[in-house]
Amino acid sequence: MVLRWQPAEAELDFSAIRASGPGGQNVNKVSNAVHLRFDIRTSSLPEAVKTRLLAWQDQRITADGVIVIKAQDSRSLERNRADAVSRLIELVQAAAHVPKARRATKPTYGSQQRRLEGKAKRSGIKAGRSSKSDF
């Protein structure tokens, strides 16, 4: 299932925070990093995707069902906001993907015969290594 979903602006809660790491005075003065908070339960996502997201054991999803994404790679607040939204969309699309159910199959007769022939050949090679004078 391919989910073409864009979050509504009202569903996203952005807060500007100070970025961690190196950067000199700019890091200490400017709040360019972004915390994106997205409530799964009150969102416009399909119910199947909501339940799959809430069941995930992901550190970005709180016990209350809120996804928190921190974006601080760029020095621009707008780029960090866009990065956080794209990471949210990737997370939701990953949850929307349902893996195909695996159906058990039996090996073919020919593959069974090839396996047994290989085992017999290998057994003969190993038997030929032993010394014949074990009296």
Side-chain angles (χ1 to χ4, degrees), residues 22-61:
Q25 287 182 339
N26 193 54
V27 169
N28 299 331
K29 294 189 305 184
V30 184
S31 297
N32 279 342
V34 170
H35 261 171
L36 167 64
R37 298 178 68 78
F38 177 77
D39 192 359
I40 299 170
R41 291 187 175 97
T42 61
S43 68
S44 62
L45 289 170
E47 287 299 321
V49 178
K50 284 183 187 181
T51 54
R52 224 173 282 123
L53 269 173
L54 291 170
W56 268 6
Q57 297 295 319
D58 194 314
Q59 65 183 8
R60 295 171 290 188
I61 302 174

Side-chain angles (χ1 to χ4, degrees), residues 85-100:
V85 171
S86 68
R87 285 168 35 196
L88 172 68
I89 291 171
E90 287 175 11
L91 181 71
V92 170
Q93 285 177 344
H97 174 72
V98 180
K100 189 175 170 183

Side-chain angles (χ1 to χ4, degrees), residues 102-116:
R102 185 188 179 280
R103 200 173 305 145
T105 59
K106 292 183 180 178
T108 63
Y109 179 76
S111 68
Q112 289 177 351
Q113 295 304 312
R114 286 189 295 273
R115 178 178 151 267
L116 292 176

